[in-house]
Amino acid sequence: MHILIIEDDPLFRREVKDFLENSLYHVTALTEFDRIVPKALSLRPDLILLDWNLPGQSGFELCAEIRACSDVPIIFVTGREDSMDEAAALLKGGDDYITKPFHPSVLLAHISAVLKRTRKEAQDSAVLIHLGLELDLAKAQVRYQGRRAELTRNELKILHCLFRHPGEIVPRTELIEYLWDASVFIDDNSLSIHVTRIRGKLKELGLPDFIHTKRGMGYFI
């Protein structure tokens, strides 16, 4: 994962860069602060650490400009402790806010949490594809060679879990736990019924053997 640091304090910038690189992140740190937004976006980072106080332009203004054309996660890193600043930063499009000084492990935890959350959101809004079958999570449907079938909420959740682990056996217990975590409460018998219904819909699309059963273990695609 590529992290971009936008921070004008050279000592702090160096320390954070070294720490993140030692934590196996790819890190770029800006050292010049003209045309920051075009430079930042051209680097295509997975996350930006943005200082609040920068020469010529505030991090608050930069966040607004970046957010106007990109959804890249942004964590404000600042010495300011005003709760109104934190609220303004988040309302303007920031994903998190951490106040200096902090322990490096705290920064690492914030980065990990934001990346996990934003990657999940991106995944949940995507169209997933496996063996030519498209699973559209937003529309709750599957598509194959120009044909489509609508899915119930439970069917969508089951297929989503299988699509997240292509080629891997997903145990029945794991599927049930995943559904419960999504506030879908089913038992082992209900799971079998739902899978049978999904298979019926896929068969009508021309994919009769898309979901495989590993007896005594679970399902895989």
Side-chain angles (χ1 to χ4, degrees):
M1 302 296 287
H2 180 199
I3 297 178
L4 174 64
I5 301 173
I6 305 177
E7 161 69 56
D8 65 333
D9 183 331
L11 178 58
F12 180 81
R13 185 172 64 225
R14 180 76 255 174
E15 289 176 347
V16 172
K17 186 174 187 293
D18 289 346
F19 171 73
L20 293 177
E21 287 177 337
N22 288 335
S23 300
L24 303 182
Y25 285 106
H26 169 50
V27 185
T28 302
L30 294 186
T31 57
E32 297 180 358
F33 301 96
D34 59 311
R35 303 182 67 252
I36 293 177
V37 173
K39 288 178 182 177
L41 297 179
S42 69
L43 292 168
R44 301 179 64 84
D46 295 296
L47 181 142
I48 295 175
L49 294 180
L50 179 60
D51 186 24
W52 187 279
N53 295 309
L54 292 166
Q57 194 173 17
S58 72
F60 183 83
E61 295 169 328
L62 285 171
C63 179
E65 288 185 26
I66 293 170
R67 194 54 76 231
C69 50
S70 173
D71 292 327
V72 59
I74 297 172
I75 298 179
F76 279 96
V77 181
T78 176
R80 301 165 65 113
E81 298 183 6
D82 191 327
S83 61
M84 293 301 294
D85 287 340
E86 180 176 357
L90 298 178
L91 287 172
K92 206 64 177 179
D95 293 274
D96 203 351
Y97 186 102
I98 184 169
T99 303
K100 305 173 187 175
F102 50 79
H103 192 278
S105 62
V106 174
L107 174 61
L108 201 62
H110 278 255
I111 290 172
S112 178
V114 169
L115 285 174
K116 182 178 180 180
R117 183 178 71 247
T118 53
R119 290 179 71 186
K120 182 178 185 302
E121 289 170 354
Q123 183 184 54
D124 289 347
S125 65
V127 174
L128 307 180
I129 302 175
H130 182 65
L131 299 178
L133 180 68
E134 299 180 5
L135 175 64
D136 191 322
L137 299 171
K139 295 182 179 179
Q141 61 182 214
V142 283
R143 297 188 291 268
Y144 182 69
Q145 295 184 349
R147 303 165 68 183
R148 68 186 62 200
E150 303 298 323
L151 301 170
T152 66
R153 181 190 179 200
N154 292 359
E155 292 166 353
L156 178 68
K157 292 292 184 182
I158 291 168
L159 273 177
H160 186 202
C161 188
L162 294 174
F163 265 75
R164 290 171 59 192
H165 304 279
E168 301 177 16
I169 297 171
V170 180
R172 294 174 64 88
T173 53
E174 183 176 321
L175 269 169
I176 291 172
E177 289 174 2
Y178 172 73
L179 290 164
W180 275 58
D181 287 343
S183 300
V184 177
F185 305 108
I186 68 171
D187 56 20
D188 190 72
N189 184 59
S190 296
L191 176 62
S192 297
I193 293 172
H194 285 304
V195 171
T196 298
R197 289 174 179 168
I198 294 170
R199 281 175 164 156
K201 293 181 178 182
L202 296 179
K203 183 178 181 179
E204 291 179 0
L205 295 181
L207 291 169
D209 301 314
F210 187 80
I211 300 177
H212 302 274
T213 301
K214 187 68 172 179
R215 189 172 296 277
M217 299 179 67
Y219 303 103
F220 66 96
I221 61 174

